Amino acid sequence: MDKTSGSTQPPGRSRLPKWHAGRFPLGFFVCVCALLSPCAHAQTDSSIQEAETGIIVTRTADQAQSVLRALKAGMDFGVLAKEMSVDPTAVDGGYMGHLKLANLPTPQRDALSNLHGEKFSGIVPVAAGFAILTIFPTAPNMHEMDVDAMQAQAQAANVRQLLNVDGLAEANLAFTQFAKSNEWQFDPALACTIRKESLAAAIQRTEQVIASEEASPDKPAPSELIRQNVALAELHAYSGDMEASIQAFSKAYDAASAGVPRAVPYLQQALGVAYLHLAGMENGAFRNSGDIDIFPPMHPGEHYAKQENSRQAIKYFLEFLDSAPQDLQVRWLLNLAYVTVGEYPAGVPDKFLIAPSLFASKQDIGRFKDVAVAAGLNLYGSAGGVVVDDFENNGLLDVVTSSKDMCQSMHYFHNNGDGTFTDRTMQAGLSGQMGGLNLVEADYNNDGCMDLLLLRGGWELPGRMSLLRNNCNGTFTDVTHAAGLDQSVFSSQNAAWADIDNDGYLDLFVGAEKTPSHLFHNKGDGTFEDISHAAGVDRVAFTKGVAAADFDKDGYVDFYVSNTGGPNFLYHNNHDLTFTDIARQAGVEGPYQGFATWAFDYDNDGWPDIFVNAYTNFSIDQVVRGYLGMSTSAPTDKLYRNLHNGTFQDVTVETGLDKQYMTMGSGFGDVDNDGYLDIYLGMGRPSFATLMPHILLRNDAGKRFVDITASSGTGEIDKGHGVAFADLERNGHEDIITETGGAVPADGHAMRVFRNPGNDNDWINVRVTGVKSNRSGVGAEIKVTVSNNGAGERSIYRTVGETSSFGGNPMEQHIGLGHGAKIVNLEVYWPATNTRQQFNNVAKNEFIEVKEFGSAYTRLKRKTVRLGGGSPAEGNK
């Protein structure tokens, strides 16, 4: 492999320049750049109040200098943005939108306000690296974006930005600049080694710079001490040494108090967040969460045993609020800090209280209980994916997880059949599969055993994916090379399996970040052919989610692609291995900062609808404003209703989903067996400050979604990623399984398994098996017609294989039927063979299998158990 260009040092040696120690998270620059750089003395041109703004962001200072030289030589800003920028706006030539400069972070605002006739700014440090900004004379020709898209980007830029305390940007920069060969992209173990060595080298280098400055007879300026110590604090925060992080933040705080008072508010917040995170670590809140991490609190007065660090967090939050009492982000964190000492809500100062009544549920289906530890699913890990399915063909659902952490392997939990699980990662051959923010399941080779695809590089640096073939004996083999899927290395966390040409074999669509998406055609012999370009789906975007469904009911699967920083795509299948993007015509381009997405029939009209998360709402301020009934400006998630004519209607508002969330992982299932699919949203961003309750939304008869988080007890406040719905107990009620944890090693968390409280509604579980169609029946459509309590008939629809792009439900279809149900008819449609099967007199509350072309279905024996042990007769109530 080629070595890293430009490196003159031997492998394994850090080549971090001195400026690395001076990097800041974006939140820091918002607060203090004006006093720590020349921008502090610049005179703002008051005549520039709003403008068509553009940005180029590079990861390193050297790259930024190269861009600056090219701009000075006459290169077009938009062309360079598309070629060099790592910001999502690169796909649009760096165009951020028509923005009010007053609402931009201070360094960006000052850089634009002081162009004084220049076409572009100098280099401005930002969270992701280094930026160069411009003001376009007119809005660029946005052939892929409309007015709504520009407005959405402008709104996103005008919200109160999240405080970043996590060290992710610093650690990634250290990794990027560490001398290495490109072989690391193909070797997960080597990537782990580089991560550890580069982080240690960055910490050592920064400590050396600080020691040198402090020993110098010429004492450094306070601004230098702040820069260096904040960088060190962030690196220690990433590694989990919170005491060292707090020590460095404290030194920066002392320097700010002595000479740079405008830097104090940022450091008050940072110290408050760091102390609160340390309090959680030392009290075992992340490893043994119990109910302390559920909001609103289940048991008011429950608290940490060790409270000193929580008290310190309260102290710094209160100091900040003395000068900024209306800041909702810090007010929210203050309330959570009081929760940890058992004094919420009574102990919170009235003027800062965010009352628990604001979170009350209007409906109640019973309270879920976390039984992860009791069930043996006691995983502690970072952000990652989760898949629940029967990997051993024994009728039991196993659980598989992945982790974004380059040094943490996948985990395979074997279902023991008695309500408990055993970690068999080593025996399954998966202990060497490290890293990977998400994974998806499929029986790609039609051998009747469910395989796995592990995706790497999401949000970070390119890495190879891994296709893991199930050997049908409880073990897996990495066949990525043999299958021809290792020809390209790119960053991804999303993929969808679907039979695009109805030949009976599952093909693979993989979305990529900043590079073309990939469509791999299954050749039927265990190998794949990349047909991305010929198929017309190799557009460059920052793709974060993909969903497969037959949106126009023509018998061929289509793809919906969710992108961050640009419009989403709806690829219509042309029936000849080519696709056409019809997103604009169909009305589903938004929310322009897309993330996880899925197709599901939320209103049971027989047509797949689209749900897509918005990644613009990354502000605690915006979320809290929503709870308080105040106006918000960030775009919301979107729900698009299929109008049966190739177009969709945005029904976000009328279904009650026009709320501010901070959605990351998410999924859907029917938690109350009423036949309508519900939603669970996992919250998160990398920062330790991102602490918002996850949201459980009950589908109220396909008309609206009702927040039942508080009444259900599912409001986990730490980061939520992979989400799956599955009936682990085999009692006819879907539980919620979440892979919980943040983006950095210091922000790990225990998995959550929320056991369904159950009710007396009926259900049926349908497993389909293809004969000429693909074996696992992906794409097969199920229609169940029922009569409830002797009333009129209604139909309930499910499609096999439809699941969230950030969480994997089982291929078997759990279908709620409502109360007093009688199944009038059950129908299965197979698109690949254009055949329909009709079954009458189907028993309810049963597990059944339908084989393609079969004239009868088969009842399956399933043993009811209780998660964590105990008698299943006790039930879940």
Side-chain angles (χ1 to χ4, degrees):
M1 296 292 176
D2 294 336
K3 303 295 182 182
T4 304
S5 60
S7 175
T8 59
Q9 297 196 23
R13 292 285 304 279
S14 172
R15 54 187 181 93
L16 298 174
K18 180 176 179 178
W19 52 260
H20 173 265
R23 280 194 15 85
F24 288 97
L26 177 61
F28 178 77
F29 281 105
V30 171
C31 298
V32 302
C33 175
L35 288 177
L36 302 185
S37 67
C39 68
H41 309 290
Q43 296 297 313
T44 301
D45 185 351
S46 59
S47 65
I48 304 177
Q49 298 182 8
E50 50 188 274
E52 312 291 347
T53 58
I55 192 169
I56 296 173
V57 179
T58 64
R59 286 197 173 96
T60 70
D62 290 343
Q63 291 169 338
Q65 289 288 355
S66 297
V67 170
L68 198 58
R69 286 193 295 269
L71 288 169
K72 291 179 178 178
M75 280 288 289
D76 181 78
F77 191 97
V79 171
L80 280 171
K82 289 187 176 182
E83 292 180 350
M84 299 289 291
S85 181
V86 298
D87 191 76
T89 59
V91 296
D92 300 306
Y95 183 58
M96 292 194 292
H98 185 86
L99 306 182
K100 293 181 179 180
L101 270 59
N103 290 326
L104 290 173
T106 301
Q108 297 181 31
R109 180 188 67 228
D110 291 344
L112 290 170
S113 298
N114 291 282
L115 290 179
H116 298 309
E118 296 292 332
K119 295 182 179 180
F120 40 82
S121 73
I123 298 172
V124 179
V126 294
F130 301 86
I132 299 170
L133 296 101
T134 191
I135 293 178
F136 294 108
T138 59
N141 180 19
M142 307 295 286
H143 65 92
E144 293 180 341
M145 295 184 68
D146 58 19
V147 174
D148 290 338
M150 299 179 206
Q151 181 180 4
Q153 287 193 351
Q155 289 173 332
N158 292 339
V159 301
R160 203 289 201 188
Q161 301 295 304
L162 180 70
L163 175 73
N164 287 312
V165 178
D166 53 63
L168 182 60
E170 287 72 17
N172 282 346
L173 181 63
F175 188 100
T176 301
Q177 295 209 327
F178 199 77
K180 55 189 177 293
S181 71
N182 288 334
E183 293 176 357
W184 73 268
Q185 296 176 317
F186 299 89
D187 185 347
L190 181 57
C192 171
T193 299
I194 296 170
R195 170 65 86 189
K196 291 178 179 178
E197 292 182 352
S198 63
L199 181 64
I203 291 174
Q204 181 182 32
R205 171 61 179 163
T206 309
E207 289 175 338
Q208 290 173 346
V209 170
I210 293 174
S212 175
E213 293 286 355
E214 290 178 341
S216 172
D218 299 323
K219 291 189 176 181
S223 59
E224 276 302 304
L225 288 175
I226 296 172
R227 283 191 176 97
Q228 294 157 6
N229 279 288
V230 166
L232 181 60
E234 291 285 347
L235 289 167
H236 281 307
Y238 179 92
S239 64
D241 189 348
M242 294 309 299
E243 292 183 348
S245 178
I246 288 171
Q247 183 179 14
F249 273 131
S250 297
K251 293 176 79 171
Y253 178 79
D254 291 341
S257 299
V260 191
R262 287 185 62 185
V264 169
Y266 161 75
L267 291 163
Q268 288 170 331
Q269 297 175 76
L271 278 164
V273 171
Y275 271 113
L276 186 59
H277 195 75
L278 175 59
M281 292 176 68
E282 70 176 1
N283 283 279
F286 308 138
R287 290 184 178 272
N288 304 290
S289 301
D291 293 323
I292 193 69
D293 284 353
I294 300 297
F295 192 90
M298 181 177 180
H299 304 293
E302 184 178 7
H303 56 78
Y304 288 167
K306 301 176 182 178
Q307 297 187 8
E308 180 180 353
N309 289 309
S310 291
R311 299 285 180 189
Q312 285 293 315
I314 291 171
K315 168 181 173 289
Y316 281 108
F317 290 148
L318 287 173
E319 286 182 3
F320 174 88
L321 289 169
D322 279 344
S323 57
Q326 302 305 314
D327 188 287
L328 293 178
Q329 175 174 259
V330 178
R331 281 181 60 188
W332 168 252
L333 292 172
L334 175 69
N335 279 255
L336 291 184
Y338 274 106
V339 170
T340 67
V341 296
E343 296 176 9
Y344 174 87
V348 183
D350 290 342
K351 61 182 178 180
F352 299 138
L353 176 64
I354 300 175
S357 59
L358 297 171
F359 301 85
S361 300
K362 294 182 179 179
Q363 295 181 3
D364 188 350
I365 65 168
R367 195 168 188 91
F368 290 66
K369 181 180 179 182
D370 178 23
V371 295
V373 174
L377 292 166
N378 53 344
L379 174 68
Y380 172 83
S382 301
V386 63
V387 169
V388 181
D389 218 317
D390 182 359
F391 289 97
E392 301 173 27
N393 287 337
N394 57 7
L396 304 173
L397 296 176
D398 309 297
V399 178
V400 186
T401 68
S402 67
S403 173
K404 178 180 181 291
D405 188 340
M406 292 180 180
C407 296
Q408 188 174 87
S409 76
M410 293 176 61
H411 282 269
Y412 180 86
F413 291 97
H414 161 80
N415 191 324
N416 298 322
D418 60 358
T420 67
F421 294 77
T422 299
D423 190 338
R424 289 189 179 175
T425 305
M426 182 74 70
Q427 298 92 319
L430 297 176
S431 58
Q433 296 294 339
M434 295 184 290
L437 189 54
N438 198 16
L439 70 164
V440 291
E441 83 263 42
D443 180 4
Y444 80 93
N445 58 356
N446 285 344
D447 65 353
C449 302
M450 200 61 64
D451 312 297
L452 287 162
L453 180 76
L454 178 66
L455 300 150
R456 294 186 174 93
W459 296 113
E460 293 191 325
L461 304 169
R464 75 167 176 90
M465 55 186 176
S466 290
L467 179 61
L468 305 169
R469 186 189 65 208
N470 189 336
N471 299 319
C472 301
N473 61 0
T475 69
F476 293 81
T477 298
D478 190 331
V479 295
T480 314
H481 177 72
L485 293 178
D486 63 346
Q487 302 304 306
S488 300
V489 175
F490 47 87
S491 297
S492 177
Q493 66 174 51
N494 63 93
W497 294 92
D499 184 358
I500 63 173
D501 54 354
N502 288 337
D503 66 351
Y505 290 94
L506 292 175
D507 310 296
L508 176 63
F509 188 108
V510 184
E513 300 175 1
K514 298 281 297 160
T515 56
S517 290
H518 293 266
L519 180 59
F520 298 98
H521 183 238
N522 191 330
K523 297 164 68 174
D525 59 0
T527 67
F528 294 81
E529 177 186 8
D530 190 337
I531 63 169
S532 313
H533 182 68
V537 299
D538 60 337
R539 297 175 65 181
V540 176
F542 201 82
T543 297
K544 301 304 296 181
V546 59
D550 183 3
F551 292 109
D552 56 357
K553 307 285 283 185
D554 65 353
Y556 284 80
V557 69
D558 313 297
F559 292 107
Y560 183 72
V561 179
S562 171
N563 303 309
T564 292
N568 300 330
F569 309 145
L570 177 57
Y571 287 121
H572 173 258
N573 192 325
N574 300 323
H575 307 183
D576 58 1
L577 297 182
T578 70
F579 294 79
T580 300
D581 179 18
I582 60 168
R584 171 165 291 184
Q585 300 94 310
V588 293
E589 283 192 303
Y592 306 100
Q593 292 284 348
F595 194 56
T597 185
W598 65 69
F600 72 154
D601 187 357
Y602 84 93
D603 55 356
N604 279 329
D605 66 353
W607 291 74
D609 311 297
I610 297 172
F611 180 81
V612 57
N613 300 154
Y615 201 62
T616 46
N617 43 7
F618 44 74
S619 167
I620 290 177
D621 170 85
Q622 292 288 297
V623 180
V624 176
R625 289 175 69 88
Y627 282 117
L628 292 171
M630 302 168 67
S631 62
T632 59
S633 57
T636 67
D637 297 348
K638 290 287 187 182
L639 178 62
Y640 295 111
R641 180 175 179 268
N642 196 322
L643 297 180
H644 313 177
N645 61 0
T647 66
F648 292 77
Q649 176 188 4
D650 185 343
V651 294
T652 308
V653 175
E654 66 187 69
T655 56
L657 292 175
D658 57 329
K659 305 291 193 302
Q660 296 297 335
Y661 302 119
M662 300 183 72
T663 308
M664 290 282 291
S666 51
F668 62 90
D670 185 358
V671 293
D672 57 352
N673 280 343
D674 65 350
Y676 291 93
L677 292 167
D678 311 300
I679 295 173
Y680 189 66
L681 303 177
M683 303 297 126
R685 291 276 292 187
S687 175
F688 297 161
T690 311
L691 299 168
M692 294 301 305
H694 304 178
I695 303 296
L696 181 57
L697 300 167
R698 178 180 178 268
N699 186 336
D700 194 352
K703 297 180 175 60
R704 59 176 182 148
F705 287 85
V706 179
D707 188 340
I708 60 170
T709 305
S711 63
S712 66
T714 56
E716 165 67 56
I717 63 172
D718 277 279
K719 317 303 189 310
H721 289 87
V723 174
F725 287 69
D727 179 9
L728 294 180
E729 296 187 312
R730 294 317 211 187
N731 64 356
H733 304 286
E734 285 191 303
D735 310 297
I736 303 174
I737 302 93
T738 72
E739 204 285 344
T740 310
V744 304
D747 203 14
H749 198 278
M751 173 184 280
R752 290 285 196 181
V753 179
F754 290 111
R755 184 173 62 199
N756 195 314
N759 59 26
D760 57 359
N761 284 348
D762 297 310
W763 53 273
I764 189 168
N765 186 295
V766 183
R767 174 181 176 179
V768 301
T769 301
V771 175
K772 190 173 180 180
S773 299
N774 69 86
R775 182 74 174 270
S776 54
V778 171
E781 300 173 4
I782 302 171
K783 175 184 176 182
V784 184
T785 301
V786 300
S787 172
N788 293 105
N789 298 315
E793 297 179 2
R794 66 177 177 126
S795 294
I796 303 166
Y797 299 86
R798 298 289 185 270
T799 300
V800 179
E802 286 185 358
T803 190
S804 170
S805 62
F806 215 141
N809 295 354
M811 288 294 175
E812 63 181 39
Q813 295 299 297
H814 176 90
I815 305 172
L817 304 177
H819 189 268
K822 176 184 178 181
I823 298 178
V824 178
N825 177 267
L826 187 149
E827 176 183 302
V828 180
Y829 170 64
W830 300 85
T833 55
N834 193 28
T835 59
R836 295 182 188 274
Q837 295 166 280
Q838 300 273 354
F839 303 99
N840 299 317
N841 301 316
V842 178
K844 63 185 180 182
N845 303 332
E846 295 274 2
F847 294 83
I848 69 171
E849 179 181 19
V850 175
K851 183 172 290 188
E852 188 177 18
F853 306 125
S855 59
Y857 64 86
T858 303
R859 284 192 175 92
L860 301 174
K861 294 182 179 180
R862 298 290 184 259
K863 177 185 175 182
T864 300
V865 299
R866 182 173 175 80
L867 286 172
S871 171
E874 295 173 10
N876 289 336
K877 296 182 180 179

